[in-house]
Amino acid sequence: MNDITKLYKNKFRIESSRLKNWDYSTPWWYYVTICTKDMRCWFGKIDNGKMKLNDLGKIVEEEWLKTKDVRDNVDLDYYVIMPNHFHGIPIIEDVETSRRDVSKESETGHRPVSTNLKPNSLGSIVGQFKSVCTKRIHRLGFKQFKWQSRFYDHVIRNENDLRRIRTYIQNSPLKWELDEYYQNK
């Protein structure tokens, strides 16, 4: 046990929301929500039920779309960028059946991220996305920009689950003022 664990006797330990006994590098469809630190609105604003991306929001969109170009085992489904968070459906594919052209890798500017995560896992995919976005945003002078350290994930169970999540993503800008992440700033 480390000093903090001894001190608090696991009293304040946050349990993982990860699905127990699931390998997050398994080829599957996932749903993720990634939030900015302190829910600060960095990416634009909602106007008449539509998200209007600012320059930082455009970086997030560009990097999300590049994800499938720099990872041979990833495809993307629905996504939405909100003022202070992001929802997306990444699809981890079987590496043998992926469609990547390795010659594109050097064009993207992405580099491998050093982590303790399993390569090609959901955590490594999200980690690289967050890292590249942060670096680009910091280069624009927004040094105080940060993501929350964790992200929410959900293993999509079936077609009904996928349909429900896609609808939620599509309707997020329309329901912004009712959103749990809503900030009127």
Side-chain angles (χ1 to χ4, degrees):
M1 252 197 268
N2 65 32
D3 291 339
I4 291 178
T5 305
K6 285 181 197 171
L7 181 63
Y8 294 108
K9 299 179 178 127
N10 281 331
K11 192 174 186 178
F12 299 104
R13 187 168 174 262
I14 297 170
E15 288 297 319
S16 172
S17 63
R18 302 290 182 257
L19 186 61
K20 292 189 185 339
N21 302 318
W22 182 263
D23 178 352
Y24 280 84
S25 64
T26 299
W28 206 262
W29 292 53
Y30 299 88
Y31 167 64
V32 296
T33 298
I34 309 167
C35 300
T36 61
K37 185 165 174 53
D38 300 324
M39 301 310 296
R40 187 162 168 200
C41 295
W42 286 99
F43 306 136
K45 63 181 184 169
I46 304 291
D47 185 23
N48 291 325
K50 294 187 193 256
M51 181 63 190
K52 303 291 183 186
L53 297 176
N54 60 21
D55 289 343
L56 305 186
K58 289 175 185 172
I59 287 172
V60 171
E61 183 170 53
E62 288 168 13
E63 293 304 330
W64 182 249
L65 294 174
K66 283 182 185 178
T67 299
K68 68 181 182 178
D69 293 330
V70 299
R71 294 234 182 216
D72 64 347
N73 68 320
V74 174
D75 201 359
L76 304 174
D77 194 63
Y78 287 33
Y79 72 93
V80 67
I81 300 162
M82 299 294 288
N84 58 8
H85 65 284
F86 169 87
H87 298 294
I89 301 174
I91 305 158
I92 297 179
E93 299 177 329
D94 188 347
V95 177
E96 281 89 46
T97 62
S98 65
R99 76 269 167 259
R100 178 171 168 199
D101 177 359
V102 179
S103 66
K104 290 182 179 180
E105 187 169 349
S106 61
E107 299 169 12
T108 65
H110 284 260
R111 290 183 174 67
V113 175
S114 175
T115 68
N116 293 329
L117 297 170
K118 187 172 186 177
N120 298 315
S121 68
L122 184 63
S124 68
I125 293 163
V126 171
Q128 182 179 30
F129 166 71
K130 288 168 60 174
S131 175
V132 173
C133 288
T134 300
K135 287 175 185 173
R136 286 190 60 193
I137 290 169
H138 285 181
R139 278 196 301 260
L140 286 180
F142 298 93
K143 302 283 187 194
Q144 64 277 36
F145 172 80
K146 290 183 179 166
W147 295 101
Q148 281 185 358
S149 59
R150 295 181 177 209
F151 65 94
Y152 169 81
D153 70 72
H154 173 78
V155 177
I156 297 175
R157 307 299 202 271
N158 53 43
E159 287 292 325
N160 288 334
D161 202 20
L162 177 61
R163 191 175 313 112
R164 180 186 56 78
I165 291 166
R166 283 175 169 168
T167 300
Y168 179 81
I169 289 171
Q170 283 183 308
N171 292 333
S172 286
L174 293 170
K175 297 181 175 188
W176 172 234
E177 292 183 11
L178 303 173
D179 194 295
E180 67 181 297
Y181 303 121
Y182 175 72
Q183 299 283 325
N184 191 12
K185 296 177 185 174

